[in-house]
Amino acid sequence: MTEQAAQAIVGDGQAISSPEAPKGSGGSPVKNKREAGTKALPKWEADARDRVRTAVRRYSKPLVDLVARDANEGDTRLLITDFLCEGLGYDKYEDLTTEYQVKGEFADYGIRIDKQLVAFIEVKRCSQKLNAKHLRQVQMYAVNEGVEWMILSNGQVWQVYHMTAGLPVIIDMALEVDLLSDASLAAKTDALFYLTKEAFKRRLIDDLWRARAATSPKSLAQVLLSDVVVEAVRKEVRRQTSYNADVTEIHRILREEVLRSEILS
């Protein structure tokens, strides 16, 4: 991405629409209330959002430069540290722990709120695409330390995952935002607000995660295959075609031919 493109992205916030909303942004309950004309945001939230908005503008140009020169992981980590502090409100000395040791391995960052470890961050170089291997790496840290939240970032893309303990553990993506995408400044701010210290402390991201988990393709597929829905489908097929289909056969067709098998696995 060129410097000119970066400037276009962070211009005045009137930008183009976000391509994939709550991966990074959409569905913010607070934003929807504001648009509906209800009461103003509390001061702490307004201040946090302003801080995030300013940081996204400020760090887009340095981020573009890092990507252009294929900066190493160490340089990427410097930018992420500054963004965590200046954009998301964490204190470098009180809230962040670098090289957090977990059974002989080292997580890039641990985040503490009120001295309680709440998340791990795994950093990759700015030009490296985040993938499942990186998630497994930070997941190991989270499992061993009993931490719910995991963050992957290469400076440009921020992915946030929730881990529910159990056998097996359940991993859900809560949000994803690309700081150099064509999404509007407002959309990026809405997404990153959930990662601020203020929002994390109030566990606002928990609501976002629950909403995404409840409406994930896998969750909706399970609803569609429930007895009550399959029976409703059978009745509707009979109403429209006069054919009284077998419930078991409808369930099989829905599972094997209508829904993608990878969603259900």
Side-chain angles (χ1 to χ4, degrees), residues 59-248:
Y59 285 100
S60 290
K61 173 59 168 61
L63 183 55
V64 167
D65 293 341
L66 287 179
V67 173
R69 65 181 174 87
D70 192 18
N72 60 34
E73 187 174 307
D75 289 347
T76 305
R77 194 179 304 182
L78 289 174
L79 182 141
I80 287 177
T81 300
D82 288 343
F83 193 86
L84 285 167
C85 296
E86 296 185 27
L88 303 183
Y90 295 99
D91 184 278
K92 186 182 301 184
Y93 304 106
E94 292 185 7
D95 304 323
L96 302 179
T97 302
T98 60
E99 298 296 327
Y100 188 99
Q101 185 170 3
V102 182
K103 291 192 174 182
E105 301 288 337
F106 294 89
D108 290 320
Y109 295 92
I111 295 180
R112 296 185 185 276
I113 295 180
D114 295 332
K115 300 182 179 180
Q116 179 72 34
L117 186 66
V118 297
F120 282 118
I121 304 178
E122 184 66 20
V123 175
K124 297 303 172 185
R125 68 188 299 156
C126 58
S127 60
Q128 187 171 13
K129 290 187 177 180
L130 305 177
N131 58 45
K133 179 181 177 181
H134 305 149
L135 178 58
R136 287 193 296 270
Q137 185 178 356
V138 73
Q139 179 182 329
M140 180 195 72
Y141 307 144
V143 168
N144 286 326
E145 294 296 309
V147 170
E148 289 182 71
W149 291 100
M150 303 166 290
I151 302 169
L152 298 178
S153 181
N154 57 10
Q156 175 178 343
V157 177
W158 293 69
Q159 296 177 346
V160 185
Y161 295 87
H162 179 271
M163 183 187 73
T164 303
L167 292 175
V169 299
I170 299 173
I171 306 297
D172 298 303
M173 177 183 279
L175 68 84
E176 179 179 23
V177 59
D178 184 337
L179 297 186
L180 299 183
S181 74
D182 290 337
S184 68
L185 178 60
K188 295 171 187 176
T189 300
D190 282 340
L192 289 168
F193 163 73
Y194 288 98
L195 291 185
T196 62
K197 180 179 178 179
E198 296 91 337
F200 227 113
K201 186 174 183 176
R202 291 167 173 81
R203 300 188 69 91
L204 299 185
I205 197 171
D206 289 40
D207 296 332
L208 184 67
W209 154 61
R210 289 190 185 98
R212 286 183 60 84
T215 57
S216 69
K218 184 173 182 179
S219 294
L220 293 179
Q222 291 171 345
V223 170
L224 291 174
L225 292 174
S226 65
D227 292 344
V228 65
V229 173
V230 173
E231 176 62 18
V233 170
R234 185 189 69 80
K235 290 180 179 179
E236 182 62 17
V237 168
R238 185 176 61 185
R239 188 188 70 80
Q240 292 190 18
T241 68
S242 299
Y243 173 66
N244 192 20
D246 180 72
V247 170
T248 303

Side-chain angles (χ1 to χ4, degrees), residues 1-11 60 64 180-182 188:
M1 180 177 290
T2 65
E3 178 179 345
Q4 183 178 4
Q7 291 172 344
I9 288 173
V10 299
S60 290
V64 167
L180 299 183
S181 74
D182 290 337
K188 295 171 187 176

